[in-house]
Amino acid sequence: MKKSIKGAISYISLVIGLFLLFIAFLYYLIITSDIPVSFTLAESKVAQGTILASTIAFLLSSLLNLNKKVRTILIGILSISFIINLSHLTTASRGAEYFTLEFVHLILPFVIQPVLIIFVNILVIINNRKRGKEYFRTQ
């Protein structure tokens, strides 16, 4: 596959991943806007499916052809997202009446997704760095 086609697919899947993550976050806000929160596990699974599709799009984008600058920006944004979601999970778990299994199923993918994508991007950066050093040694 040509480099320009890989780049285009990479950026398109990045935009699709951001869009799906935004949709999942809006769905999360709609579900949790009721007080007291009364949602089912099925609604949590819809959000999980959307986050899974977003994760696949991010990983496809990362593995195809993102340059180091875009990958670093993505790692930074997802690190901030991870910290915010983790703090929300820990504060909600302190005696809140809506902290149920359904709530954990709803918020946990928002915590796990950034960690997975950050880990894959760091591995890709390390792999590219090693490949670059090997390439320059043989020249």
Side-chain angles (χ1 to χ4, degrees):
M1 201 181 284
K2 291 187 178 183
K3 194 170 187 171
S4 62
I5 294 173
K6 275 186 175 180
I9 292 172
S10 176
Y11 287 115
I12 289 170
S13 62
L14 181 67
V15 169
I16 289 171
L18 287 171
F19 178 73
L20 289 173
L21 186 60
F22 182 70
I23 294 295
F25 184 69
L26 285 179
Y27 187 70
Y28 162 76
L29 288 178
I30 289 170
I31 289 174
T32 59
S33 65
D34 289 338
I35 298 179
V37 177
S38 59
F39 55 92
T40 63
L41 197 56
E43 292 170 333
S44 299
K45 289 185 180 189
V46 170
Q48 286 178 359
T50 309
I51 292 172
L52 176 66
S54 170
T55 304
I56 290 170
F58 277 133
L59 292 178
L60 178 69
S61 175
S62 295
L63 294 176
L64 277 178
N65 194 20
L66 283 182
N67 60 18
K68 188 176 178 182
K69 185 186 291 185
V70 175
R71 192 171 277 125
T72 307
I73 291 170
L74 183 64
I75 289 172
I77 290 170
L78 290 173
S79 297
I80 292 169
S81 169
F82 170 71
I83 292 169
I84 291 170
N85 288 323
L86 188 63
S87 69
H88 183 247
L89 180 66
T90 56
T91 55
S93 66
R94 294 186 190 140
E97 67 183 49
Y98 59 86
F99 191 76
T100 60
L101 180 64
E102 289 84 11
F103 182 76
V104 173
H105 276 278
L106 184 63
I107 192 69
L108 203 57
F110 286 103
V111 175
I112 294 173
Q113 183 208 25
V115 173
L116 175 68
I117 296 170
I118 289 168
F119 181 70
V120 168
N121 278 305
I122 289 173
L123 287 178
V124 169
I125 288 172
I126 291 171
N127 187 23
N128 287 345
R129 187 174 294 164
K130 284 183 182 178
R131 190 180 302 162
K133 287 182 182 178
E134 290 172 8
Y135 176 76
F136 288 119
R137 277 191 212 148
T138 59
Q139 295 281 329

